[in-house]
């Protein structure tokens, strides 16, 4: 297994945000109620902002703070995440959104995606330092807010 570089970690984070944006755009197009359509559209825009935040970190400037053992654990976690449905399933994020049968299923899929994304960003936070940590903290807070909004919408259904 090849080692991941700081550049590759930021690329993974950006890919997560791109997948989220694609999922939410497709889910918004498919939504039948104005409230859920607006939620998905807003979440798609926020995913764009997150991706730009990672771009601004400067891929070559990401400073990692992990010991060799922690790095091995983070790398194993990231490789496992890459092999899960977020990245490697043929249908991808757009297919996942398009394949939902109703809005409740789309909300549940969005919630699962956000939880996986949040876990990755929590792991990423421990791997960077300085101002990069602050940026990841902000994104973690926003991802947690996404989860709360999705849970609220699900409980109302």
């Amino acid at each position: 297994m090849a080692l991941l570089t700081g550049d590759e970690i930021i690329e993974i984070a950006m890919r997560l945000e791109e997948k989220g944006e694609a999922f939410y755009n497709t889910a918004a197009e498919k939504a039948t109620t104005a409230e859920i359509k607006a939620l998905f559209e807003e979440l798609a825009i926020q995913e764009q902002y997150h991706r730009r935040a990672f771009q601004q970190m400067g891929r070559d400037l990401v400073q990692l703070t992990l010991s060799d053992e922690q790095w091995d654990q983070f790398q194993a976690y990231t490789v496992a995440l890459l092999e899960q449905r977020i990245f490697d399933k043929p249908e991808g994020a757009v297919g996942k959104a398009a394949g939902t049968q109703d809005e409740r299923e789309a909300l549940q899929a969005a919630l699962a995606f956000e939880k996986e994304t949040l876990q990755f960003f929590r792991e990423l936070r421990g791997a960077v330092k300085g101002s990069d940590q602050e940026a990841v903290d902000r994104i973690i807070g926003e991802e947690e807010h996404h989860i709360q909004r999705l849970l609220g919408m699900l409980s109302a259904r």
Side-chain angles (χ1 to χ4, degrees):
M1 175 178 353
L3 287 176
L4 295 171
T5 64
D7 182 53
E8 290 167 325
I9 291 170
I10 295 302
E11 185 64 32
I12 291 166
M14 289 172 44
R15 284 175 57 198
L16 268 171
E17 298 302 338
E18 288 171 4
K19 296 288 185 180
E21 180 184 353
F23 175 89
Y24 287 127
N25 282 329
T26 302
E29 290 172 10
K30 197 172 175 190
T32 58
T33 61
E35 183 180 32
I36 291 178
K37 180 179 182 68
L39 173 64
F40 286 151
E41 288 173 341
E42 181 182 338
L43 292 175
I45 290 168
Q46 289 178 6
E47 299 296 318
Q48 288 176 6
Y49 292 137
H50 296 171
R51 188 177 70 247
R52 288 185 194 131
F54 285 118
Q55 283 176 317
Q56 290 176 359
M57 282 183 191
R59 294 177 183 168
D60 297 329
L61 302 176
V62 173
Q63 298 176 343
L64 301 177
T65 62
L66 300 177
S67 68
D68 288 343
E69 181 180 336
Q70 290 170 322
W71 176 250
D72 289 343
Q73 290 172 354
F74 180 72
Q75 178 185 0
Y77 167 79
T78 303
V79 169
L81 182 64
L82 287 170
E83 292 172 354
Q84 290 180 3
R85 71 178 175 273
I86 292 176
F87 297 105
D88 291 339
K89 293 271 181 162
E91 73 264 15
V94 172
K96 181 82 171 164
T100 57
Q101 299 301 309
D102 55 33
E103 290 177 333
R104 182 167 184 77
E105 187 178 338
L107 288 167
Q108 290 170 331
L111 183 60
F113 179 82
E114 291 291 344
K115 286 179 178 180
E116 289 174 353
T117 302
L118 178 61
Q119 181 61 33
F120 174 78
F121 290 145
R122 284 182 175 154
E123 295 288 331
L124 176 62
R125 191 214 184 273
V128 299
K129 64 181 179 179
S131 61
D132 292 340
Q133 249 183 2
E134 294 169 14
V136 175
D137 283 342
R138 182 178 50 77
I139 292 170
I140 285 171
E142 291 174 12
E143 297 294 343
E144 289 171 337
H145 183 68
H146 293 180
I147 289 170
Q148 292 169 356
R149 291 188 65 200
L150 290 163
L151 284 170
M153 193 69 75
L154 271 168
S155 67
R157 301 266 165 254

